[in-house]
Amino acid sequence: MNNYGFLTRIIKTLSPKKSLEALRATALSEWEVDFEKGRADHEAGIDSMHRRFYEFLTLRLGQLSKNGTKEVHPYVLECTRIFGWAVHLMPAHLYDRLHLLTSQDNDAHAIACRIEAEHAVKGVRVFPEIEARRRARARRQPTIESVDERERKTAWRNSAPLITVAAPAGEIADFVGGLNADDLHELVCGATEREDNVFVFPVAAHPLCDRGTALMILSGGAAAWQAKWRDGAREDDQDPAVQPVFQMWARVSARLNQNDFRTNRFLHNLEIGFPRDSDGHLSVFHPTHWLKWRLEDHAIAPTDDERHRPGIVFDCGRVRQSYDVWKRLHAGS
């Protein structure tokens, strides 16, 4: 078993090239043992990430061997094994580093193998740092702006918010009630402080709430609480301030289990993981084994992974029009 703590420390001291070599070497030293573990789980009918890795690699190598008459290049086979193992079994923070370094290295074969492997775990594993970089790229504004554009953006940033977390509960409920699914998802994505939950609570009950939005709500800490329930903590003994959050998670999990959503569109950050731990025991951190707010298998099925396109922005406790909406409304002014 690799010492991932040591690996984490050592790559911080290495150059990007050496870090990439160390991460690839780790994958090459680990994949065969885990492949055999996956084979055993496959034959025993145990659902695990080892089994998923075994089935992915078996299928992918079979596809490569049938792809034309030419012998598969050894480097393609190596990359397939490296990224097949890393995507399924490498700790998320180390895989994030491997993903970033591979992109910077601009290795076409490695990137193609990485994309193929990542597709196989879609909806099973989530890599938050990778998703954060993707969102940042999607939102990145052009680096060269006209003076007029900069002035418009300054005016937009200084414009009065539509509503804030300090508004009365009734006003917040009325405001949220008039939003569409994309705007509702933005409220959940923008909620970073406990005070922001005054907007999330009505989203959880909104008829237009997307299933991806509901899963995003649970990603705000529901899994982490399972360790406390496992160790004997009682819900009634917790801070009164967190009780409304527990109630919201209960409502959301009930809606998910009842499939009470009209749409299934949005990308979310809920870490699904795998149902058993490294010792083969049921994992309380897998949503289908949660001790509270447990989800059925159908409730954690993959969404369409769409990015939301809201007409509002929720940031620092303030909701305002998105820049594009604001600019259209103020065109010519």
Side-chain angles (χ1 to χ4, degrees), residues 1 34 37 41 48-50 89 274-283:
M1 181 62 66
D34 287 329
K37 289 181 181 178
D41 286 352
S48 68
M49 290 305 289
H50 286 87
L89 296 167
F274 48 95
R276 293 183 181 271
D277 59 25
S278 58
D279 296 324
H281 301 134
L282 295 179
S283 171

Side-chain angles (χ1 to χ4, degrees), residues 13 17 42 62 79 82 123 126 159 176 202-203 234 251 259 267 284 299-300:
T13 68
K17 182 178 180 181
H42 173 80
C79 288
I82 287 172
V126 176
S159 62
V176 175
V203 171
R234 290 168 45 85
R251 289 194 298 272
N259 198 23
L267 188 71
V284 297
I300 58 174

Side-chain angles (χ1 to χ4, degrees), residues 10-247:
I10 196 66
I11 63 174
K12 292 179 180 179
T13 68
L14 299 176
S15 66
K17 182 178 180 181
K18 291 294 184 181
S19 295
L20 180 57
E21 290 175 357
L23 291 166
R24 290 171 67 97
T26 298
L28 289 173
S29 67
E30 295 286 318
W31 80 267
E32 286 189 271
V33 172
D34 287 329
F35 183 81
E36 291 306 318
K37 289 181 181 178
R39 186 198 303 275
D41 286 352
H42 173 80
E43 293 173 353
I46 298 173
D47 186 14
S48 68
M49 290 305 289
H50 286 87
R51 173 181 174 177
R52 290 173 184 269
F53 165 57
Y54 166 80
E55 292 174 348
F56 164 79
L57 192 57
T58 300
L59 175 64
R60 188 66 188 128
L61 293 179
Q63 291 171 336
L64 289 172
S65 64
K66 296 176 182 177
N67 188 18
T69 57
K70 293 183 179 180
E71 183 177 350
V72 181
H73 195 285
Y75 184 63
V76 173
L77 294 176
E78 178 180 294
C79 288
T80 300
R81 295 182 181 116
I82 287 172
F83 286 96
W85 177 85
V87 162
H88 287 84
L89 296 167
M90 181 175 273
H93 70 283
L94 289 175
Y95 181 73
D96 170 75
R97 185 67 174 162
L98 177 62
H99 180 284
L100 179 61
L101 292 172
T102 303
S103 298
Q104 293 174 346
D105 196 47
N106 201 27
D107 183 329
H109 287 302
I111 291 173
C113 292
R114 187 195 72 198
I115 292 172
E116 187 77 28
E118 287 179 350
H119 182 74
V121 297
K122 181 179 178 182
V124 179
R125 288 197 79 184
V126 176
F127 302 99
E129 293 181 24
I130 295 174
E131 289 304 323
R133 285 199 297 273
R134 286 173 176 162
R135 290 194 183 96
R137 287 196 299 270
R139 294 177 178 178
R140 191 172 297 144
Q141 299 294 331
T143 56
I144 300 176
E145 295 178 339
S146 67
V147 173
D148 288 344
E149 184 73 0
R150 288 198 298 270
E151 290 178 348
R152 278 195 294 268
K153 286 189 176 179
T154 298
W156 167 67
R157 293 188 186 99
N158 293 332
S159 62
L162 299 173
I163 194 169
T164 72
V165 294
E171 288 185 20
I172 290 176
D174 290 343
F175 175 80
V176 175
L179 299 180
N180 61 30
D182 293 80
D183 292 342
L184 296 174
H185 197 73
E186 171 63 19
L187 290 179
V188 176
C189 291
T192 58
E193 304 293 338
R194 179 177 291 183
E195 293 77 10
D196 296 339
N197 282 329
V198 295
F199 283 103
V200 182
F201 293 148
V203 171
H206 200 291
L208 297 183
C209 177
D210 183 82
R211 191 168 71 87
T213 306
L215 292 169
M216 180 72 87
I217 291 173
L218 291 177
S219 75
W225 278 93
Q226 304 308 313
K228 289 183 177 290
W229 310 141
R230 179 193 59 193
D231 295 339
R234 290 168 45 85
E235 186 172 328
D236 293 342
D237 295 336
Q238 306 307 312
D239 185 347
V242 81
Q243 297 297 331
V245 178
F246 292 160
Q247 295 166 11

